[in-house]
């Protein structure tokens, strides 16, 4: 058996506390707003659009291949996808006799989540391999309120910076080339035919590219969907990048967010477009680094998942 990393009670609880403090920086203000019945168009997004809840994000996980020891570790045997370390794992990790020890149950996780692991690998590797495109200028948000007099405004408590007519004019005077289905699916019906691509759930794996703000925000989604086999520090690195991208995404949107402390990126101007692309390139570089780290963590899991593939009828007679 390969050597496993061993974290003592003192070591892993210190990392757990640091992670929880990091999460609370973002989660506590959101929970306070929710209790007060208030909304924030930028800072609520990661907790409302994505399915990961603050309480789930607060739970620290060491990732696969780590054994946690100490009395506090024993409580994790009641957590999903955790189990007591067996004798071979204890020996490989160097856990002293009589000390409680747990590890992530990778085998069970893959048995139940193999398809999710494999799909994440396909999306991440495919996106990483494509050239980045930087000509969208965030027009997806504008297309979501195109001809809003005919359709319900999605962010009903916000106002349009240029008004309805000015917003429609920006949409009509620019080429719209959104490659991300989860942005495209919110277009108003009149905006759909204006997009030069036709993203769908079926062609998602072929269209996503590393310049797309939404594809880069979704690194957080792929990371948390693979908890607890990924380390929580990596999940939070993806979360924080997603948080920063969301701010830029909304600054470039048609909404007036000045009272929220977010000055506009005026993508209707040449200067605003240049500013957008400059920031977009920076986020693309940061996202590619995180994408590489995610793929590195996934590599042994994908190898193990391939071994667990169900046997076909043709294979039943083979050894």
């Amino acid at each position: 058996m390969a050597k496993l990393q061993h974290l003592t009670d003192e070591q892993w609880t210190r990392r757990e506390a640091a992670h929880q403090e990091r999460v609370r920086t973002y989660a506590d203000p959101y929970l306070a707003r929710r209790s007060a019945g208030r909304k924030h168009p930028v800072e609520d997004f990661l907790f409302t659009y994505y399915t990961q809840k603050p309480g789930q994000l607060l739970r620290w996980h060491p990732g696969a291949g780590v054994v946690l020891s100490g009395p506090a570790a024993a409580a994790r045997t009641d957590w999903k996808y955790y189990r007591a370390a067996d004798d071979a794992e204890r020996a490989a990790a160097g856990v002293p006799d009589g000390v409680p020890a747990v590890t992530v149950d990778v085998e069970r996780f893959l048995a139940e989540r193999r398809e999710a692991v494999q799909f994440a690998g396909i999306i991440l590797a495919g996106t990483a391999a494509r050239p980045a495109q930087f000509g969208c200028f965030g027009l997806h948000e504008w297309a979501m309120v195109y001809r809003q007099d005919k359709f319900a405004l999605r962010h009903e408590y916000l106002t349009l910076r240029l008004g309805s007519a000015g917003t429609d004019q920006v949409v009509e005077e620019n080429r719209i080339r959104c490659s991300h289905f989860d942005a495209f699916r919110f277009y108003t019906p009149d905006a759909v035919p204006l997009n030069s691509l036709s993203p769908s759930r079926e062609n998602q794996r072929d269209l996503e590219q590393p310049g797309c703000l939404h594809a880069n925000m979704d690194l957080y989604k792929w990371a948390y969907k693979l908890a607890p086999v990924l380390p929580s520090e990596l999940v939070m690195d993806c979360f924080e990048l997603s948080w920063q991208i969301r701010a830029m995404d909304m600054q470039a949107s048609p909404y007036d967010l000045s009272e929220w402390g977010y000055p506009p990126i005026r993508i209707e101007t040449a200067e605003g477009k240049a500013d957008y692309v400059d920031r977009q390139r920076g986020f693309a570089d940061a996202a590619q680094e995180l994408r590489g780290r995610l793929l590195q963590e996934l590599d042994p899991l994908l190898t193990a998942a391939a071994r667990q593939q169900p046997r076909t009828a043709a294979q039943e007679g083979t050894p």
Side-chain angles (χ1 to χ4, degrees):
M1 174 178 289
K3 183 174 176 60
L4 301 176
Q5 183 183 6
H6 173 210
L7 295 177
T8 65
D9 202 318
E10 180 182 0
Q11 291 171 326
W12 72 260
T13 54
R14 185 166 60 244
R15 283 178 56 179
E16 179 183 55
H19 168 76
Q20 291 175 345
E21 181 178 358
R22 190 178 178 188
V23 172
R24 287 192 176 102
T25 299
Y26 304 94
D28 285 358
Y30 163 71
L31 293 171
R33 284 192 300 272
R34 191 177 69 176
S35 295
R38 293 183 287 109
K39 297 180 180 180
H40 195 295
V42 179
E43 297 172 11
D44 290 351
F45 182 76
L46 267 63
F47 296 114
T48 56
Y49 176 76
Y50 293 112
T51 59
Q52 177 90 324
K53 302 306 179 187
Q56 295 170 309
L57 187 58
L58 273 168
R59 279 196 164 188
W60 175 82
H61 304 290
V66 181
V67 174
L68 306 180
S69 70
R76 293 193 176 220
T77 56
D78 293 330
W79 290 21
K80 191 172 184 179
Y81 300 126
Y82 277 83
R83 60 170 173 77
D86 61 31
D87 291 342
E89 290 165 335
R90 294 174 62 91
V95 180
D97 291 342
V99 176
V102 301
T103 191
V104 173
D105 191 343
V106 176
E107 185 174 355
R108 180 188 168 197
F109 182 88
L110 291 177
E112 297 181 10
R113 302 279 294 154
R114 183 182 66 249
E115 290 184 1
V117 171
Q118 292 174 325
F119 187 71
I122 290 169
I123 290 289
L124 293 169
T127 304
R130 294 186 190 101
Q133 305 295 320
F134 299 107
C136 68
F137 307 120
L139 284 161
H140 56 276
E141 287 286 344
W142 298 68
M144 292 176 192
V145 292
Y146 179 57
R147 295 182 177 172
Q148 63 104 16
D149 291 338
K150 290 175 60 178
F151 307 104
L153 184 65
R154 295 180 63 240
H155 296 288
E156 70 281 357
Y157 60 101
L158 300 176
T159 58
L160 297 174
R161 240 184 346 102
L162 304 180
S164 295
T167 299
D168 293 349
Q169 183 178 355
V170 171
V171 172
E172 292 162 359
E173 292 180 352
N174 287 274
R175 183 187 183 200
I176 307 179
R177 187 180 171 81
C178 179
S179 58
H180 198 273
F181 173 67
D182 285 316
F184 178 71
R185 67 190 176 98
F186 290 111
Y187 278 26
T188 64
D190 286 1
V192 168
L194 301 179
N195 204 67
S196 60
L197 299 172
S198 298
S200 66
R201 191 64 72 203
E202 290 70 30
N203 64 20
Q204 179 181 10
R205 66 183 67 195
D206 301 315
L207 286 185
E208 292 204 3
Q209 49 86 16
C212 172
L213 293 188
H214 277 261
N216 293 334
M217 276 196 285
D218 278 353
L219 292 178
Y220 169 57
K221 176 178 70 175
W222 302 121
Y224 78 70
K225 282 182 176 293
L226 299 177
V229 297
L230 296 188
S232 288
E233 288 84 357
L234 177 54
V235 175
M236 275 307 293
D237 286 346
C238 293
F239 176 97
E240 289 182 338
L241 178 66
S242 210
W243 182 278
Q244 295 163 19
I245 292 174
R246 171 61 176 176
M248 175 189 160
D249 194 35
M250 291 302 285
Q251 284 179 273
S253 78
Y255 304 112
D256 183 357
L257 301 177
S258 55
E259 67 177 284
W260 303 86
Y262 290 89
I265 300 172
R266 302 181 187 278
I267 58 95
E268 69 274 15
T269 69
E271 295 79 9
K273 284 182 170 68
D275 184 20
Y276 183 93
V277 171
D278 184 59
R279 300 189 198 200
Q280 188 181 23
R281 287 183 182 276
F283 284 133
D285 289 343
Q288 282 290 66
E289 190 270 334
L290 283 177
R291 199 171 276 114
R293 288 171 59 193
L294 286 167
L295 285 167
Q296 185 175 13
E297 292 283 346
L298 274 176
D299 185 58
L301 299 171
L302 289 168
T303 300
R307 296 196 197 102
Q308 286 191 0
Q309 288 281 21
R311 292 166 66 84
T312 65
Q315 292 172 322
E316 286 301 319
T318 63

